[in-house]
Amino acid sequence: MSVLVYIEPIKDKIKKAAIESVSYASQVAQLLNTSVTAIAFNASEETIKEISNVGAEKVLNISDSAITTINIKSLAKGVIAAAKEENVNVIIFSFDGSGQSVAPYVASNLKAGLVAGATELPKVEGNKLEVRKNVFSGKASAIYSIESAFKIISVMPNSIEIASNPKSAEVVAFAPSTDLKDGVQLKNFKVNDDVAHGGVPLPDAELVVSGGRGLKGPENWGIVEDLAHALGAATACSRPVADADWRPHHEHVGQTGLAIRPNLYIAIGISGAIQHLAGVNGSKTIVVINNDPEAPFFKNADYGIVGDAFSVVPKLTEAIKKIKAN
Amino acid sequence: MKILVPISQVPDTTAKISFTDNDTTLNTAGVSFIINPYDEWYALVRALELKETGKAEKVTLIHIGPAANDATIRKGLAIGADDAVRVEGEGDSSFVAAQIADYAKNNGYDLILLGKESISYNSAAIGGLIAGDLEWDFVPLATKLEINGDAATLEQDADGGVSELEAKLPLVVSCAKGMAEQRIANMRGIMAARTKPLQVINAVGPDTKLTTIKSYQATPGRTSCLIIPEDNIDQLVDILHTKVRAF
Ligand SMILES: Cc1cc2nc3c(=O)[nH]c(=O)nc-3n(C[C@H](O)[C@H](O)[C@H](O)COP(=O)(O)OP(=O)(O)OC[C@H]3O[C@@H](n4cnc5c(N)ncnc54)[C@H](O)[C@@H]3O)c2cc1C
């Protein structure tokens, strides 16, 4: 009765969020005195090495190149087959694009209680698991009790420490007897312009530089991009900026955009409306640059500079470049 | 082709969130409620556009909750949905999804369009649960949807890009920003909504809860912001370098 952890089909390199979920599963397994089995799809040797370094003792690997991250039903069926094969009753996912969609499909089939986006390790309470997750877009958190026999937790990326726990994983080629096919087909993949130009994808970014209406227009985004580039950060924006098409929709963060929790969030010319804060207040450190000392964001930041973005930001970029060059 | 649009009711985005009864219940004093923005702005509006272009015959709202939520459902009717169903009952995500799946199956809906997550519980779980209950295909985080007969073409936000997908009905699609533009109900819509059918039905299925919420806690704010003078950028750079370890 091991703990099962889901590893999404990986295009290039395994993501930090996936390693976090394996480390989380390994810590849950310790609480329950058991071991960790991973269910993976088309996993490479490198992936297997990375996940065994953080506690996976067995890997059920489904080799089927027809299954990619778009095939939610196929992936769910694979996980369900693995859960039955291994007779598990706890399954861990990452609450990232893939895990957050596959987990409920699996939960439905197994009649499992699901906590989506856990931010801490669970507590064992008899037959139940209690675990905290954010609610009301980060304005609050709640402790959920999972009361069903089957239990599923997906882990909020960037919310737990990865603990090294090297194992030599046994790899099993897994071919479930059920038909895994589904009807969703990939016709094309368009790489976002910023990523095509070497930028960092926003959802996974550790460092984020974000701009608001204070930047006055899209033609001024150079200073935001230069700072992001100097730091190796992703770029983001407030809602009105995306609504006005100054920046693409996928950069919009906040209560009605993307919720992010990077290590560092630098907000430039953003007032700090409650809907904006809801998407970024999980960031570890917040730096605000705004020329209005009364901007609400200063009450929700760790560090602030009261000043004109057009003079402060280039100076900051230069200073960072100078240190990095040394 | 008929489209079912599940809507949830959430506190207004400006609401200050606090709790009562020993932190076990949301304090609703002074809180106004709205349709979850992802359900309203993206799922409902796209469903209406599909109807307006002749791709769908009917758009039905479904909501699981008490009679007090009828006002929220009427707002959805005012934006343009044809009719609505309210399932009397309350429960966790699995319960809610089971009601929607059951209704869709028994009433011949081919497409279920909903928001990518609710801004109250942020679990992004209902779409996958419904698809699992019905064993339908599921396309989450869609930003575009076209329908031709029983074929759907979609775009979906993915890591670092956009996937262009094809799928077949029946289908569950969760909608993200880009799918449609928010619509404001006009006076005619509001008047019409008063007399549109709102059917109330009883809940089906298990009353055993798979999960329960034990307690809530408001997120503590940041206590103090260190203001760094504009002419001392190096201090900020030093903090970013040595304390935050950003580089
Ligand atoms: C239902 C609903 C949902 C919403 N969801 C979101 C959401 O998800 N995300 C989101 O971001 N917003 C959201 N909003 C909008 C939100 O309420 C704010 O309107 C928005 O965040 C403001 O964007 P902003 O800070 O870029 O612009 P503004 O509020 O206009 O602020 C601009 C800031 O720039 C500063 N500034 C001006 N010039 C300079 C300069 N030269 N140098 C430095 N600073 C300067 C100003 O002092 C000001 O503080 C939502 C609103 C509603 C009603």
Side-chain angles (χ1 to χ4, degrees), chain A residues 2 34 38 65 102 116 119 124 157 206 225 312:
Chain A
S2 54
T34 180
S65 58
V102 178
T119 53
V124 182
E206 303 255 349
E225 282 170 343
V312 173

mmCIF file of all heavy atoms in Angstrom, chain A residues 2 34 38 65 102 116 119 124 157 206 225 312:
data_model
loop_
_atom_site.group_PDB
_atom_site.id
_atom_site.type_symbol
_atom_site.label_atom_id
_atom_site.label_comp_id
_atom_site.label_asym_id
_atom_site.label_seq_id
_atom_site.Cartn_x
_atom_site.Cartn_y
_atom_site.Cartn_z
ATOM 1 N N SER A 2 1.573 1.442 -1.109
ATOM 2 C CA SER A 2 2.464 2.594 -1.167
ATOM 3 C C SER A 2 1.673 3.865 -1.475
ATOM 4 O O SER A 2 0.476 3.814 -1.725
ATOM 5 C CB SER A 2 3.538 2.361 -2.227
ATOM 6 O OG SER A 2 2.918 2.037 -3.448
ATOM 7 N N THR A 34 5.231 3.887 4.743
ATOM 8 C CA THR A 34 5.215 3.118 3.503
ATOM 9 C C THR A 34 6.176 3.742 2.498
ATOM 10 O O THR A 34 6.999 4.585 2.866
ATOM 11 C CB THR A 34 3.768 3.018 2.957
ATOM 12 O OG1 THR A 34 3.793 2.264 1.766
ATOM 13 C CG2 THR A 34 3.154 4.381 2.690
ATOM 14 N N ALA A 38 5.979 5.887 -8.308
ATOM 15 C CA ALA A 38 5.589 6.934 -9.259
ATOM 16 C C ALA A 38 4.908 6.295 -10.453
ATOM 17 O O ALA A 38 5.290 5.203 -10.883
ATOM 18 C CB ALA A 38 6.813 7.716 -9.708
ATOM 19 N N SER A 65 3.744 6.844 -26.968
ATOM 20 C CA SER A 65 4.066 8.195 -27.445
ATOM 21 C C SER A 65 2.800 8.951 -27.872
ATOM 22 O O SER A 65 2.827 10.155 -28.066
ATOM 23 C CB SER A 65 5.053 8.122 -28.607
ATOM 24 O OG SER A 65 4.485 7.340 -29.629
ATOM 25 N N VAL A 102 -5.768 16.355 -14.194
ATOM 26 C CA VAL A 102 -5.870 14.893 -14.143
ATOM 27 C C VAL A 102 -6.402 14.439 -12.772
ATOM 28 O O VAL A 102 -7.201 13.499 -12.684
ATOM 29 C CB VAL A 102 -4.497 14.241 -14.442
ATOM 30 C CG1 VAL A 102 -4.584 12.723 -14.340
ATOM 31 C CG2 VAL A 102 -3.999 14.649 -15.828
ATOM 32 N N ALA A 116 -7.141 20.190 -3.548
ATOM 33 C CA ALA A 116 -6.435 20.715 -4.718
ATOM 34 C C ALA A 116 -5.631 21.951 -4.337
ATOM 35 O O ALA A 116 -6.202 22.978 -4.006
ATOM 36 C CB ALA A 116 -7.448 21.053 -5.807
ATOM 37 N N THR A 119 -0.740 23.413 0.564
ATOM 38 C CA THR A 119 0.466 24.216 0.765
ATOM 39 C C THR A 119 1.343 23.684 1.894
ATOM 40 O O THR A 119 2.395 24.244 2.183
ATOM 41 C CB THR A 119 0.095 25.683 1.085
ATOM 42 O OG1 THR A 119 -0.828 25.678 2.182
ATOM 43 C CG2 THR A 119 -0.546 26.365 -0.111
ATOM 44 N N VAL A 124 -1.837 13.237 9.949
ATOM 45 C CA VAL A 124 -2.610 12.006 9.968
ATOM 46 C C VAL A 124 -3.498 12.037 11.201
ATOM 47 O O VAL A 124 -3.018 12.212 12.317
ATOM 48 C CB VAL A 124 -1.676 10.777 10.029
ATOM 49 C CG1 VAL A 124 -2.490 9.486 10.003
ATOM 50 C CG2 VAL A 124 -0.676 10.816 8.890
ATOM 51 N N PRO A 157 2.606 24.348 -6.386
ATOM 52 C CA PRO A 157 4.035 24.524 -6.702
ATOM 53 C C PRO A 157 4.671 25.609 -5.835
ATOM 54 O O PRO A 157 4.016 26.575 -5.441
ATOM 55 C CB PRO A 157 4.021 24.940 -8.177
ATOM 56 C CG PRO A 157 2.761 24.359 -8.725
ATOM 57 C CD PRO A 157 1.764 24.429 -7.589
ATOM 58 N N GLU A 206 10.549 31.587 -10.848
ATOM 59 C CA GLU A 206 10.958 31.877 -9.470
ATOM 60 C C GLU A 206 11.040 33.387 -9.259
ATOM 61 O O GLU A 206 10.930 33.872 -8.144
ATOM 62 C CB GLU A 206 12.353 31.309 -9.205
ATOM 63 C CG GLU A 206 12.455 29.831 -9.445
ATOM 64 C CD GLU A 206 12.506 29.076 -8.151
ATOM 65 O OE1 GLU A 206 12.666 29.723 -7.092
ATOM 66 O OE2 GLU A 206 12.362 27.851 -8.188
ATOM 67 N N GLU A 225 11.272 44.628 -19.483
ATOM 68 C CA GLU A 225 11.938 43.476 -20.095
ATOM 69 C C GLU A 225 13.427 43.462 -19.789
ATOM 70 O O GLU A 225 13.996 42.401 -19.516
ATOM 71 C CB GLU A 225 11.690 43.475 -21.604
ATOM 72 C CG GLU A 225 10.293 42.964 -21.920
ATOM 73 C CD GLU A 225 9.873 43.154 -23.365
ATOM 74 O OE1 GLU A 225 10.513 43.959 -24.081
ATOM 75 O OE2 GLU A 225 8.891 42.505 -23.760
ATOM 76 N N VAL A 312 13.956 54.915 -11.917
ATOM 77 C CA VAL A 312 14.387 53.902 -10.942
ATOM 78 C C VAL A 312 14.749 52.577 -11.616
ATOM 79 O O VAL A 312 15.792 51.979 -11.333
ATOM 80 C CB VAL A 312 13.280 53.656 -9.882
ATOM 81 C CG1 VAL A 312 13.655 52.490 -8.976
ATOM 82 C CG2 VAL A 312 13.026 54.918 -9.075
#
